Amino acid sequence: MAQNQHSSGDVIVDRRADYARMLAESGDHQAAAELIEQALELAPLWAAGWFRLGEYSEKAGQQDNAVKAYEKVAELDEEGIFAAPLKLAVLGAAETPEQPPSRYVEGLFDDYADRFETSLVKKLDYSVPEKLAALIETARPSGKRFRCAVDIGCGTGLLGVEIRDWTERLEGFDISTNMLAKAEEKGIYHHLSQADLSLDEETSGLFADGLQKGRADLVAAADVMMYLGSLETVMPLVLALLERGGLFAFSVEDAGEEEGFVLQPSLRYAHSQTYVSNLLATFGMEILHIQKTTIRKDAGKPLSGILFLAAKPA
């Protein structure tokens, strides 16, 4: 029996888990937690079941029980699919990880790919691609096209659609193969590949298959940094991609008065303007423009973000 699969492999356990899910959907999270806990007595190595117990307990206001459940998930889920360390950090039971588990981010967007654009654009008024493209255009000489633009964390290609007419070659990279499949359907990218921005140059995937360093005069990342946490790993990758004088345009969720980067209940990271500005300076990047703006809705309320446009020294 696979520990992480959503089915426990036991018919009786799965039936109880289904009843627990229905109780949770009706709002009775305490009863749901009690029932899934009974099921786990028969399947103590079922990581997905322990994760459900954590969620139900959390929603029932039983934080101690939620912490214990997420600690069990962390013990069983070696790949980090359920991101238990993030849950524990949000509950104040562990230090905030500098980055989320790559398998969690990959699975999150693999599951989200089919409804991504409908949910994000139509329901949440997502506006980063258009706003980031407008910012990029302020630094693009009239009539000039980018020789090679690299869209890191391209998702389904929403940013690519905005900048494709300005590029002679457009590359897209994402950790999710399902997102890449959606981006390919648009027919706008000259190259699409899987990449993990939490890894180093040799293993990230950005320079596989003979792709050269210093090939891009534009690197762009729309709503990517909130799934990275610390940006210490992504900056060397951006510098390696960019030619001298190349532009780097990206967005972050605004941490407001908080310092550095912070993990939010959404399990996304927010970054402060000071943190990002200092990091760009540390890596020798020149900041051309900073724009605070609303990037989408979150729980029905406007979500604040910051757009950055920087350049690698010529």
Side-chain angles (χ1 to χ4, degrees):
M1 181 183 71
Q3 295 174 357
N4 289 328
Q5 63 188 14
H6 291 283
S7 168
S8 69
D10 184 304
V11 175
I12 295 175
V13 173
D14 285 353
R15 186 176 297 124
R16 290 184 181 178
D18 282 342
Y19 289 149
R21 177 181 53 78
M22 287 187 283
L23 285 168
E25 289 175 350
S26 71
D28 194 346
H29 295 104
Q30 182 171 340
E34 291 172 357
L35 189 54
I36 196 72
E37 195 166 15
Q38 293 173 18
L40 285 165
E41 292 176 2
L42 301 176
L45 299 181
W46 185 31
W50 285 103
F51 185 79
R52 293 187 198 181
L53 176 58
E55 287 194 314
Y56 299 158
S57 298
E58 191 178 349
K59 291 176 181 177
Q62 301 170 340
Q63 182 165 318
D64 289 345
N65 289 342
V67 167
K68 291 176 182 177
Y70 290 137
E71 287 176 342
K72 189 66 175 179
V73 177
E75 176 187 325
L76 295 171
D77 179 21
E78 294 181 359
E79 291 185 296
I81 293 172
F82 293 100
L86 300 186
K87 283 287 192 177
L88 289 167
V90 167
L91 291 174
E95 294 293 322
T96 298
E98 290 209 341
Q99 292 179 327
S102 293
R103 285 288 287 113
Y104 159 69
V105 179
E106 181 180 4
L108 177 70
F109 285 102
D110 274 347
D111 291 343
Y112 197 20
D114 285 338
R115 62 186 189 281
F116 178 77
E117 293 193 16
T118 299
S119 298
L120 202 57
V121 179
K122 295 183 179 179
K123 296 181 179 179
L124 301 180
D125 295 337
Y126 178 58
S127 60
V128 170
E130 298 94 326
K131 291 178 177 177
L132 204 58
L135 190 60
I136 293 168
E137 192 165 23
T138 64
R140 183 177 70 95
S142 179
K144 183 181 182 297
R145 302 180 75 197
F146 293 104
R147 181 175 51 81
C148 176
V150 179
D151 184 0
I152 55 175
C154 65
T156 61
L158 292 174
L159 178 61
V161 169
E162 298 294 327
I163 64 174
R164 62 179 175 178
D165 292 337
W166 307 340
T167 65
E168 296 177 9
R169 175 179 171 84
L170 179 59
E171 299 178 2
F173 294 88
D174 202 276
I175 197 169
S176 165
T177 54
N178 288 356
M179 287 290 209
L180 289 168
K182 291 294 182 182
E184 187 171 17
E185 291 175 3
K186 288 185 168 62
I188 60 174
Y189 290 93
H190 299 87
H191 176 88
L192 285 165
S193 289
Q194 190 174 26
D196 186 342
L197 301 177
S198 69
L199 302 178
D200 61 20
E201 291 178 21
E202 299 303 318
T203 56
S204 67
L206 294 172
F207 305 99
D209 302 321
L211 293 171
Q212 299 297 311
K213 295 180 181 179
R215 65 183 184 273
D217 48 356
L218 172 65
V219 173
D223 270 18
V224 176
M225 306 309 174
M226 50 282 293
Y227 297 100
L228 288 173
S230 170
L231 304 184
E232 295 278 353
T233 58
V234 72
M235 286 304 303
L237 297 177
V238 171
L239 286 175
L241 283 168
L242 284 173
E243 65 179 24
R244 291 185 178 277
L247 300 177
F248 179 33
F250 62 100
S251 64
V252 300
E253 289 188 15
D254 189 355
E257 299 301 319
E258 298 286 346
E259 294 294 328
F261 59 92
V262 294
L263 180 64
Q264 304 176 102
S266 63
L267 302 190
R268 297 189 303 268
Y269 291 85
H271 299 80
S272 73
Q273 179 176 326
T274 299
Y275 169 78
V276 177
S277 297
N278 288 343
L279 192 65
L280 288 168
T282 297
F283 282 90
M285 299 284 284
E286 177 189 358
I287 297 175
L288 303 180
H289 197 84
I290 297 174
Q291 177 183 335
K292 293 199 171 190
T293 185
T294 297
I295 56 177
R296 66 173 175 277
K297 290 180 181 177
D298 188 51
K301 298 179 180 179
L303 182 65
S304 297
I306 313 174
L307 308 183
F308 289 86
L309 181 65
K312 183 175 180 178

